[in-house]
Amino acid sequence: MKRMFAVLAALVVLAVAAPLGPPARAASAGPLTPASIDAYARSVRAQTGVPGLSVVVTHNGRIIRAAGYGHTSTGAAVTARTPMRVASLSKSFTAMAVMRLVDQGKIALDRPVAAQMPEFRTADPRSSRITVRQLLNQTSSLADPGIDLAATDRAPSLKAYVATLRTARLATAPGTHYSYCNVNFDLAARLVEVASGRPFGAYMRSEVFGPLGMTGSALSDRDIRPANGYNSVFGAWVSRPEMPAFLADSGAGGVITDAHDMGRWLIAQGGYGKRPVSAKSLATMHTPVTVANNSDYAMGWSRSRDATGTERLEHSGNLFTYNAVEMLVPRTGYGFAVITNGAGLTDATYQTATGLLAMSEGHSPEPEGALTTFTQPLLALATAVFLALGVLGAVRARRWARRRAGRPAWRTVLRLIPAALPVAVFAFYPSAISFLSSGRTVTWSQLTYFAAPVTIALGTAALAGLAATALRVTHLFRARTRPAPPHAAGAPDVPVLSNR
């Protein structure tokens, strides 16, 4: 069983080392045209196998190309008008709704949330000082470990959602540290309801989507229902319903939209055409605040620079069956949005957007990494190896026990550890992923979605190790408690009769 743990360790190293977003095969550099965008998007889909992909590219207030590629779970072709879930891109939409009310004097950015929404209370008295700006900049100090996330997921409305926070505690003092937490934007969505006197979805429809002409966008499955997304399981794309947390008016991840509407959104965010907010508020939405551990997050956007020094605004969105990214490049006036109806260990959206960005600047996209290409086959192979080793360990358990029946107990326990280690690794699997996710809480159910291949591989290793350990201990116990046979050590001598 030492081999099992060796394979398990190699699996973990490979999974961590694998790039998180697979770039497509290198494309030729040149100006962005509808034809070149189509060619690149199709190459991405061919390389990743993602069932459906939608892309929009804007430049200086106009849409260059909005299109879809592939198919949905219903078999329909993906087009520029196919509704898709955009996950955390929703945060920038919620921020715009808040800023529209700020422009109207109905919300004050730097007043405490509790003063403008008295129903907001937590078990931590410091929460009374959280401001609206801190919610939108993820500096409120609300963080996953201090919140009953299971209760928030069950809340039937934003008002009920806020009520579940009565037991919440803050990670630090408000305004001192950055902590990415969906609760911030769901609180902001409820604040929109309180300040406007209207349901959040209705407000978004009339005050944000409506003015921008985003007729294919909504906040709830009740209004627009996208087809089920997919998960990649050892390279096979399996259609699955989305997890329920973001299916009803969520300000953190509930927006449903399409490539055409995302083009209108990028144009407005770039400062062109009709906007629901003032130029000052738009600038505020794009201006990060600096705290002890972050200086680039700004109301649903992050500022970053690439290797050439080009500054861009961007935000990724990751649900459990959909992925998305939005990106603006102020220097060149380009905007990009990419959405996929599949989620796996690798995310095609970010690398697609950066590949299109590279093409817009006359460069070629990066070629696909070999390790990413072979991650899923390696995990499938590892699962098969774990299963084979488990069967082998179970078959040899009796012989293993006989060999160690007379040895010191401490040495036997040490020999059991390699087989038991995969069980311990699997038991702490969600905690380890949560730690690697910078404090975000990851649950068992979530790990059966995008991380399904790793979960299956680790689970197989754990079951194999558990079976081998249990059988070894059982046979060892029987070997040590069975009466000693004649001629065994310590048995009385029996006279041998001679024929002579």
Side-chain angles (χ1 to χ4, degrees), residues 240-308:
R240 302 181 66 185
E242 182 57 53
M243 290 191 72
F246 299 111
L247 303 188
D249 297 340
S250 168
V255 170
I256 298 164
T257 187
D258 57 47
H260 174 272
D261 281 11
M262 282 302 300
R264 291 179 175 270
W265 172 248
L266 292 172
I267 287 170
Q269 285 286 333
Y272 301 98
K274 186 175 181 180
R275 298 186 306 272
V277 298
S278 66
K280 178 181 178 182
S281 287
L282 188 64
T284 298
M285 291 172 61
H286 296 167
T287 304
V289 297
T290 298
V291 291
N293 60 337
N294 189 278
S295 60
D296 60 23
Y297 197 86
M299 298 189 181
W301 293 93
S302 289
R303 278 193 178 271
S304 66
R305 292 181 183 274
D306 62 19
T308 66

Side-chain angles (χ1 to χ4, degrees), residues 97-116:
V98 171
M99 295 307 294
R100 182 166 175 80
L101 289 165
V102 169
D103 284 344
Q104 296 170 356
K106 295 180 179 180
I107 289 178
L109 270 182
D110 296 309
R111 285 186 63 207
V113 176
Q116 302 176 73

Side-chain angles (χ1 to χ4, degrees), residues 2 26 82 98 203 244 390 392 414 433 441 467:
K2 286 181 178 179
T82 299
V98 171
Y203 183 87
L392 185 64
L414 288 178
I433 299 300
T441 297

Side-chain angles (χ1 to χ4, degrees), residues 31 93 140 199 232 251 277 286 415 487 489:
F93 286 90
S140 69
S232 178
V277 298
H286 296 167
R415 294 303 299 268
H487 303 294

Side-chain angles (χ1 to χ4, degrees), residues 71 103 116 350 377 388 458 468 480:
H71 59 85
D103 284 344
Q116 302 176 73
Y350 189 82
L458 293 178
R480 291 193 172 188

